[in-house]
Amino acid sequence: KKLLKWCQSIIGKDKCVTVLPHNLNADWKNGLALVALLHNSLPEEDWLDSTQDFMELNDPPHTLNVVFDCAEHHLGVPRLLDVKDLWGTLIPVPDTRSVAAYINVLRLAILGYRSKQQNQQQKHQQQHQIEAVVDEVHTVDSIHEITLVVEDDRSTVQEHKTPLNAS
């Protein structure tokens, strides 16, 4: 239930999606929920067309292939499902465990990607802090030691000033 609620919270951000998935099988069959999940989880990335574009295309096998390829290429999510596992004439309802397993791996990859992006932004900000402190050092009457201290995901720049004429 938690996985489904997480999916609904992400997919609910998509204005094109009028019906949220209520299960982890048939509601994922045409690939549109997967498109919305991936597209809305990482809106700053331009990996997929909008859900509306796929709705207009109305080609579930193509949609599923695009989502699987995108998840594999950009997030490293292996193709645990095949198009025929979701959109096949022999399978009226996809296997709930298989769909849940794929979505959970996708969720973990999305969360990992977000975390990596945030870490890169923090490192970039730390570098700017260091550069700002270095730029402020205008005098030659002292030696400045600049230290970056990282504790519990917080960083601070400490500046130690030692006069040059000190013995």
Side-chain angles (χ1 to χ4, degrees):
K1 287 187 174 186
K2 288 181 181 181
L3 181 61
L4 184 58
K5 286 184 186 243
W6 178 81
C7 292
Q8 290 170 338
S9 72
I10 301 296
I11 294 171
K13 297 175 186 176
D14 195 324
K15 297 172 187 167
C16 297
V17 177
T18 56
V19 178
L20 294 176
H22 295 289
N23 58 52
L24 291 171
N25 49 44
D27 289 350
W28 299 84
K29 192 172 176 153
N30 65 5
L32 293 177
L34 287 168
V35 169
L37 183 67
L38 198 55
H39 187 73
N40 294 324
S41 293
L42 303 164
E44 67 282 354
E45 303 298 342
D46 192 24
W47 298 338
L48 281 174
D49 292 333
S50 73
T51 309
Q52 181 66 37
D53 293 334
F54 285 99
M55 288 170 73
E56 290 172 4
L57 186 61
N58 194 24
D59 185 356
H62 172 75
T63 300
L64 290 165
N65 273 317
V66 169
V67 171
F68 293 153
D69 288 346
C70 180
E72 187 172 28
H73 178 73
H74 294 288
L75 296 171
V77 175
R79 261 191 133 148
L80 301 174
L81 295 172
D82 193 61
V83 172
K84 66 183 178 192
D85 296 329
L86 294 173
W87 189 261
T89 55
L90 300 176
I91 302 173
V93 177
D95 178 60
T96 301
R97 289 183 186 167
S98 298
V99 174
Y102 181 78
I103 292 171
N104 195 45
V105 171
L106 188 60
R107 179 185 69 86
L108 294 172
I110 289 167
L111 295 175
Y113 182 85
R114 283 182 181 166
S115 177
K116 184 178 175 183
Q117 293 298 94
Q118 288 172 346
N119 288 341
Q120 287 177 343
Q121 286 177 338
Q122 286 175 347
K123 285 180 184 178
H124 189 70
Q125 289 171 346
Q126 291 168 353
Q127 183 63 34
H128 279 316
Q129 287 177 332
I130 292 170
E131 290 171 1
V133 171
V134 170
D135 288 344
E136 289 180 14
V137 177
H138 294 294
T139 61
V140 193
D141 63 346
S142 63
I143 297 173
H144 290 265
E145 180 181 328
I146 300 169
T147 308
L148 177 63
V149 180
V150 179
E151 297 173 342
D152 300 327
D153 293 335
R154 294 186 335 248
S155 63
T156 56
V157 175
Q158 295 178 348
E159 181 179 359
H160 302 282
K161 191 175 187 181
T162 307
L164 284 176
N165 56 6
S167 23

